[in-house]
Amino acid sequence: MSLSLRHLRLGVNIDHVATIRNARGTTYPDPFRAALIAQEAGADGITAHLREDRRHISDADVARLSEELTIPFNFEMAATQEMLAIALRHRPHAVCLVPERREERTTEGGLDAAGLHNHLAPMVDKLGEAGCRVSLFIEADPRQIEAALRLKVPVVELHTGKYCEVEGEERASELRRIADMAALAAKNGIEPHAGHGLTFDNVGPIAAIPQIAELNIGHFLIGEAIFLGLHESVAEIRRLMDAARG
Ligand SMILES: CC(=O)[C@@H](O)[C@H](O)COP(=O)(O)O
Ligand SMILES: NCC(=O)COP(=O)(O)O
C-alpha cells in the first residue's frame, strides 16, 4: 500500500481537560472520561503529559490511563529520573521524551537530542527494554534526526509549533522543513509523527505528508469541545486528517 493511503493515526492529548479540572480542584471534568469519548470519536490513541509541576495531568491520571485504556497510551514526560521511574512502573504503550521548563506556559521547542545524547541514551535503553515505544519530541532538524538515529529510537515526533504560528511564505517554508525531515526519518527507519498547535485550519498540509504516521493534537480540540462537544471536535479533526490523505 502506498504511503499516502496508510491510515494516519490520531493521538488525542487530554492534558487540558485536567487543566479545567484542576482550576477548581474538583474530580470533574474527568480526563479518563474524555479519553473514552475521544476513542469513540475516532482517536487511535491517547496522549497525556505528566509535567513535573503537575499543573494538569496527575500521577493518578497516568496510573488509570496505563491500566484501563484499551487503545495505546502515549505518556509524555521530561527526561528525568522521577519520570523514568513512573514510566517504568506503569510501562505505557509509548513514551515520548519532551523538553520541559517550569516557567513555560507550554512546550516551547524540541528536545535537544543531539546535545543530550549521554543523558538520554540510558533512559531510552531502559524504556525500550521495558517494552515502551520510545519517541523524541524534536525540531525538524537533520542534526536531531541524526541524534535520534544514534539513540536508536523507533519514533520521532516533529514539533509543528512554529508552522502553526507563522503565515504565508514562512509557513510554507516550515511545512517544507517538516516534510523533508519526515522523509529523512522514514528513509532511516524511524517512524515520523508530528504535533503541537495543530487545529482544524492548519492540520491539512501536515496530514498530507505521506511519511507521517501519527498526529498528536490536544489543546485546540479541548477548546473546540466547549462549542461542539468533545465527540464532534475529535470526529472533525479525524475527518480533516482523512480528507487530507485522500
Ligand atoms: C510536547 C507537546 O507539544 C505537548 O504534547 C505538551 O503536552 C504541551 O504541553 P501542555 O500540554 O502543558 O501545553
Ligand atoms: N505532542 C503534541 C501533543 O500531544 C498535543 O499538542 P497540542 O495540540 O496540545 O498543542
Side-chain angles (χ1 to χ4, degrees), residues 4-51:
S4 60
L5 292 178
R6 185 175 66 184
H7 176 69
L8 175 57
R9 296 191 305 272
L10 168 62
V12 173
N13 184 312
I14 55 173
D15 289 353
H16 298 292
V17 177
T19 297
I20 298 169
R21 175 194 62 191
N22 293 9
R24 283 279 181 91
T26 52
T27 58
Y28 61 85
D30 175 5
F32 189 78
R33 180 182 171 196
L36 296 181
I37 293 170
Q39 177 180 5
E40 286 165 10
D44 299 284
I46 297 297
T47 292
H49 180 184
L50 181 67
R51 282 179 168 269

Side-chain angles (χ1 to χ4, degrees), residues 62-139:
V62 171
R64 189 168 187 202
L65 290 162
S66 301
E67 288 155 20
E68 298 184 34
L69 263 189
T70 57
I71 55 176
F73 171 37
N74 176 37
F75 174 46
E76 285 187 341
M77 57 177 248
T80 65
Q81 292 305 317
E82 177 197 20
M83 291 300 157
L84 177 63
I86 292 168
L88 294 176
R89 188 182 318 138
H90 296 299
R91 296 174 181 241
H93 164 78
V95 172
C96 182
L97 299 177
V98 302
E100 200 175 292
R101 290 183 318 115
R102 275 180 189 258
E103 58 276 16
E104 67 184 4
R105 179 179 291 183
T106 185
T107 302
E108 293 170 342
L111 186 72
D112 181 15
L116 295 170
H117 177 88
N118 294 340
H119 174 73
L120 295 172
M123 286 191 177
V124 169
D125 292 347
K126 287 191 180 80
L127 290 165
E129 286 157 14
C132 301
R133 186 204 69 194
V134 183
S135 68
L136 305 177
F137 186 78
I138 59 171
E139 293 298 331

Side-chain angles (χ1 to χ4, degrees), residues 82-207:
E82 177 197 20
M83 291 300 157
L84 177 63
I86 292 168
L88 294 176
R89 188 182 318 138
H90 296 299
R91 296 174 181 241
H93 164 78
V95 172
C96 182
L97 299 177
V98 302
E100 200 175 292
R101 290 183 318 115
R102 275 180 189 258
E103 58 276 16
E104 67 184 4
R105 179 179 291 183
T106 185
T107 302
E108 293 170 342
L111 186 72
D112 181 15
L116 295 170
H117 177 88
N118 294 340
H119 174 73
L120 295 172
M123 286 191 177
V124 169
D125 292 347
K126 287 191 180 80
L127 290 165
E129 286 157 14
C132 301
R133 186 204 69 194
V134 183
S135 68
L136 305 177
F137 186 78
I138 59 171
E139 293 298 331
D141 175 324
R143 282 182 66 244
Q144 300 303 336
I145 301 290
E146 286 156 21
L149 270 172
R150 279 198 302 277
L151 286 162
K152 299 185 176 63
V153 294
V155 176
V156 292
E157 181 171 333
L158 301 174
H159 184 209
T160 54
K162 186 167 180 192
Y163 160 82
C164 297
E165 286 163 9
V166 297
E167 298 288 341
E169 181 42 43
E170 268 197 281
R171 174 171 285 191
S173 171
E174 280 302 301
L175 181 62
R176 285 192 295 272
R177 185 163 72 97
I178 292 164
D180 289 348
M181 291 304 106
L184 180 63
K187 182 180 161 190
N188 286 281
I190 296 178
E191 183 176 280
H193 298 179
H196 194 91
L198 295 174
T199 68
F200 292 162
D201 291 339
N202 65 31
V203 70
I206 297 290

